[in-house]
Amino acid sequence: MTATSGARLRDVNRVAVLSLLGRHGPLSRADIARRLGLSPATVTTVTRSLIEAGVIRKVDEASPRGGRPGELLAVVGSAAVAIGVKVASGRVTGVRADLDGTVQETFSAPFAETGANPFDALAQLLAPHLSAADAGRLLGVGLGVPGFVDSRTGLVEAPLLGWRHMPLGDYLTRLLGVPVLVDNDVNTLAAYEHLYGIGRAYEDFLTITLGRGLGAAIVCDGDLRRGGHGAAGELGHLPVDDQGPPCHCGKRGCLETYVSDAALLDQARRAGVVGERAVPADLLAAADAGHVTAREIYRHAGSRLGTVVAGVAAVLDPQAILISGEGSLAWPHLSDGFLDAFHRGTFPPLADGVAVHVDPWDDTKWALGAAALVLRAPFTAALTADGQVNAIRARLAAFPGAEGTQE
């Protein structure tokens, strides 16, 4: 094992222990080891570091029948909070969450992403919610955006929002006065799934989101894979046909131009299924009502997507595929085509080993995933820490009560 992979494993173990205690605690060290499949020695090391950080504590001892009482551990949920925000075209959705992932507040507001000063406007939207949080416990803000963050420069590329080479994280950090972490919104959803959702059962899975765009996030060995430039998971821009429809990225024939909401509506308009002013809900309603052509449009899109995902699965060997996003509302009509093509195209040794789950669309999950970017930051390995992560660690270490919970 390399030093880097070992550091990532320690990071994953810390996050897994913290998440487990937050969802199911108090638990004994033996229970933690059993539920997570970790060795007792690893659990002892991880829990000791978390106690020293002031984020978990010993509570009343369990009293099993016979034998020694088992020492129980629980998250100090009140030790810290974070704000998580999903940025979408025209709207932001956010949460304020405790260190154990408990949501204390949700909020949503209109947002003009193409306005004259969109970052200033975003800071103004967030400021009241930062003020509502106890400043002595606020670790920072996590943002999920429909694009990617260049891992070398921190610049945001979000074509769906009209943002190019935007220094979103650094600029908001200066405006808000707290650390701001930014990631692709599908990555933040995958972070939610792994810590709190369907993905808890897996260490290797793909999250695929359907809707205005087509996105994916890769969780491998319990860690998000962002790639060498931060653009891993741009499934929507996988080339399908270089003579195909134009894509907003500047190319032609990307997968997104065949299976996104806009692509499906365009096909439906040309087929006379819906009118020129139709929205995705109109096409879905037609399919729900039994319109044969509407259902065929969905089935064909599902089939194209299933074929591509089968190829991706052959490369990455995931345990599961998780489907989400607003476009998943049409899954009853997409699923037959997807599953048929996916199973036909799956590499034979994987034929029965890749589960497919659909997680109902909910923007709050995305926002909580964005908050998790911050909540997990104090436990990331030193080898992967950047300036913002170090700033979050320093804030946690300086919080009142941190020293009082150390042992």
Side-chain angles (χ1 to χ4, degrees):
M1 179 182 295
T2 66
T4 300
S5 62
R8 286 176 175 166
L9 182 58
R10 290 192 296 273
D11 175 25
V12 169
N13 289 340
R14 291 187 186 101
V15 172
V17 169
L18 184 64
S19 177
L20 180 66
L21 288 174
R23 298 191 310 271
H24 303 296
L27 296 170
S28 69
R29 288 182 177 87
D31 282 337
I32 295 170
R34 176 177 53 82
R35 293 194 186 201
L36 296 179
L38 299 175
S39 71
T42 295
V43 171
T44 296
T45 299
V46 170
T47 55
R48 182 187 299 120
S49 70
L50 292 174
I51 290 172
E52 291 172 351
V55 296
I56 70 173
R57 61 187 176 89
K58 298 176 183 178
V59 297
D60 293 340
E61 294 184 342
S63 300
R65 297 178 182 175
R68 296 179 56 187
E71 186 177 75
L72 298 182
L73 301 173
V75 168
V76 183
S78 60
V81 297
I83 304 294
V85 180
K86 181 187 187 302
V87 181
S89 179
R91 180 158 294 273
V92 295
T93 302
V95 301
R96 175 165 51 87
D98 280 350
L99 190 60
D100 60 3
T102 300
V103 175
Q104 298 295 344
E105 175 195 13
T106 62
F107 58 90
S108 183
F111 174 57
E113 72 278 4
T114 58
N117 297 294
F119 293 177
D120 294 67
L122 183 56
Q124 292 173 9
L125 285 173
L126 296 180
H129 302 286
L130 269 66
S131 299
D134 181 351
R137 298 191 301 126
L138 181 61
L139 285 176
V141 176
L143 292 175
V145 299
F148 74 92
V149 183
D150 192 313
S151 57
R152 303 161 300 176
T153 65
L155 298 177
V156 173
E157 297 285 327
L160 287 175
L161 300 178
W163 293 354
R164 303 278 184 176
H165 308 295
M166 293 290 197
L168 178 58
D170 289 344
Y171 191 73
L172 283 181
T173 294
R174 291 195 296 272
L175 288 179
L176 297 174
V178 297
V180 177
L181 301 181
V182 186
D183 205 342
N184 170 266
D185 56 0
V186 187
N187 281 345
T188 68
L189 179 62
Y192 162 82
E193 294 288 8
H194 191 229
L195 292 177
Y196 311 114
I198 296 173
R200 287 179 297 176
Y202 306 106
E203 290 300 292
D204 294 88
F205 65 89
L206 297 177
T207 291
I208 296 174
T209 57
L210 311 175
R212 181 179 177 185
L214 175 66
I218 304 163
V219 174
C220 182
D221 290 334
D223 195 18
L224 275 169
R225 297 301 188 193
R226 294 179 174 83
H229 305 87
E234 287 292 336
L235 183 65
H237 298 291
L238 188 149
V240 175
D241 180 0
D242 60 9
Q243 300 300 312
C247 181
H248 62 81
C249 75
K251 299 188 303 179
R252 299 186 72 91
C254 294
L255 179 61
E256 194 169 285
T257 66
Y258 294 96
V259 301
S260 67
D261 281 348
L264 298 180
L265 277 175
D266 184 59
Q267 296 167 37
R269 290 187 187 104
R270 285 189 279 110
V273 177
V274 297
E276 287 300 316
R277 297 185 178 182
V279 295
D282 296 322
L283 177 57
L284 178 58
D288 287 343
H291 195 295
V292 174
T293 304
R295 291 187 171 185
E296 184 58 29
I297 288 171
Y298 280 123
R299 179 178 175 82
H300 184 68
S303 179
R304 189 182 289 272
L305 180 62
T307 297
V308 171
V309 173
V312 174
V315 175
L316 298 177
D317 186 20
Q319 296 167 288
I321 308 292
L322 311 185
I323 307 291
S324 191
E326 60 267 37
S328 66
L329 295 172
W331 186 249
H333 306 297
L334 293 163
S335 60
D336 285 348
F338 177 91
L339 293 174
D340 181 58
F342 178 72
H343 290 307
R344 281 190 290 106
T346 299
F347 183 49
L350 308 180
D352 299 318
V354 183
V356 177
H357 302 280
V358 179
D359 195 13
W361 170 53
D362 180 354
D363 270 351
T364 301
K365 297 174 182 176
W366 301 60
L368 181 54
L373 296 177
V374 176
L375 295 174
R376 66 176 285 168
F379 316 108
T380 55
L383 290 176
T384 62
D386 60 18
Q388 298 288 38
V389 169
N390 284 329
I392 291 170
R393 288 176 176 163
R395 291 176 71 86
L396 181 62
F399 286 172
E403 294 182 358
T405 55
Q406 293 180 4
E407 300 191 10

